[in-house]
Amino acid sequence: TEAHTRLLEDTEALAYLQDRTITRETIEAFRLGLEVDRSGKRWLTVPHFEKGRLVNVKSRTLPPAEKTFRRVKDCKSVLFNGDVIDKNKAEVYLCEGETDALTLHSAGIKNAIATTTGAGSFDTEWIDRLQDVKKVILIYDSDEPGQKGAREVARRLGYDRVFNVVLPDGQDVNDFFQAGNNLTDFIQYVAGNARRFDVAGILTFDEGLKRLQESEQDREAGIRTGFADVDRIIKTGFLPGELVVL
């Protein structure tokens, strides 16, 4: 409570958050706070709640200090804003970090959650927590560690219900909104760029047909099916050794 009050009374810290598009409403909703250590270094505190109960606090330094993070030792790791899952079984946005989830909340997307341990890990308990969510929109950082982590999360949650969004120009969610984009821009970008991950050895029908048609110029004439529509699309027919299921 003291840390939260301290933040609300600190114009410099509030200005920093607002410059990063995080609204006062969101600051108050998530009880963000401000701590000052013995060296005078200022820390933004982000409480982690589970079922309304405080279970951990993650802190990050505020400028001009070099960016670094810390958490309360030996406390439970939970999904940030995970309590919203119970009211949003149809769809949630899963971000790589708390700042991105706070940014989406500020923009008006309240069903945004985040990992609290970085892109490289995803607790087994979190898999169970998301079990009943029909659609998970992953918005991890677009760098290699972020996308590697995103693919692993999709594998564990199930490729069929996970849609990955890679933001332009190496941006994360907060960068996207700081660049001047608004909620409409974000929703339109997600709608046009959300993709399931490719699974090794499995193609969609459209992709399989495209590859077959591209290879037709090098194929010998094979067996025709006798179905006019199929023969019109696959002009060379099927060759010995191919397994075809109609």
Side-chain angles (χ1 to χ4, degrees):
T1 301
E2 291 180 3
H4 180 58
T5 301
R6 189 179 299 114
L7 175 60
L8 294 179
E9 294 174 350
D10 192 296
T11 56
E12 183 180 349
L14 286 175
Y16 168 78
L17 291 173
Q18 290 165 357
D19 285 345
R20 300 198 69 182
T21 74
I22 297 174
T23 64
R24 187 183 180 98
E25 176 195 356
T26 295
I27 292 169
E28 294 181 358
F30 289 93
R31 307 294 294 175
L32 304 186
L34 175 66
E35 293 284 1
V36 182
D37 64 23
R38 293 179 180 178
S39 68
K41 190 179 296 183
R42 292 152 59 81
W43 297 79
L44 173 69
T45 59
V46 183
H48 293 171
F49 295 95
E50 185 177 57
K51 296 181 179 179
R53 184 173 63 90
L54 179 66
V55 295
N56 207 333
V57 177
K58 189 172 182 179
S59 305
R60 62 156 294 168
T61 50
L62 291 173
E66 181 180 352
K67 184 171 71 173
T68 186
F69 298 88
R70 67 185 183 187
R71 301 187 334 143
V72 179
K73 187 178 180 181
D74 298 328
C75 286
K76 185 177 182 180
S77 297
V78 297
L79 286 169
F80 179 70
N81 198 31
D83 287 350
V84 301
I85 295 172
D86 295 330
K87 298 179 181 179
N88 294 274
K89 298 296 187 182
E91 177 181 283
V92 296
Y93 290 79
L94 175 56
C95 306
E96 185 175 324
E98 295 94 333
T99 299
D100 288 344
L102 291 168
T103 302
L104 290 183
H105 185 277
S106 296
I109 297 176
K110 309 305 183 183
N111 56 330
I113 63 176
T115 64
T116 55
T117 54
S121 62
F122 203 81
D123 196 284
T124 301
E125 186 176 327
W126 302 349
I127 304 292
D128 297 336
R129 191 79 179 85
L130 290 163
Q131 180 178 347
D132 297 328
V133 178
K134 294 180 180 179
K135 183 177 181 180
V136 178
I137 301 175
L138 275 179
I139 313 182
Y140 274 32
D141 292 356
S142 55
D143 57 16
E144 183 178 353
Q147 289 307 295
K148 182 178 179 181
R151 176 175 283 277
E152 178 61 14
V153 170
R155 183 189 70 80
R156 297 177 67 192
L157 290 178
Y159 290 115
D160 59 317
R161 64 189 179 115
V162 175
F163 292 78
N164 189 48
V165 177
V166 180
L167 293 173
D169 305 321
Q171 295 176 329
D172 61 21
V173 172
N174 191 252
D175 294 331
F176 185 84
F177 282 91
Q178 283 197 80
N181 295 296
N182 58 29
L183 178 60
T184 300
D185 298 325
F186 180 78
I187 291 174
Q188 289 178 345
Y189 187 87
V190 170
N193 293 275
R195 300 283 187 274
R196 289 188 177 96
F197 279 101
D198 293 333
V199 182
I202 299 177
L203 301 177
T204 64
F205 177 81
D206 287 343
E207 180 62 25
L209 181 59
K210 179 181 177 182
R211 292 192 184 186
L212 181 61
Q213 291 173 331
E214 288 174 349
S215 68
E216 281 189 332
Q217 57 185 356
D218 301 321
R219 289 165 60 95
E220 301 175 1
I223 299 172
R224 307 286 281 176
T225 68
F227 296 104
D229 288 340
V230 177
D231 289 340
R232 176 176 52 80
I233 297 172
I234 305 175
K235 298 179 175 58
T236 59
F238 299 105
L239 301 179
E242 293 181 336
L243 174 63
V244 180
V245 180
L246 297 179

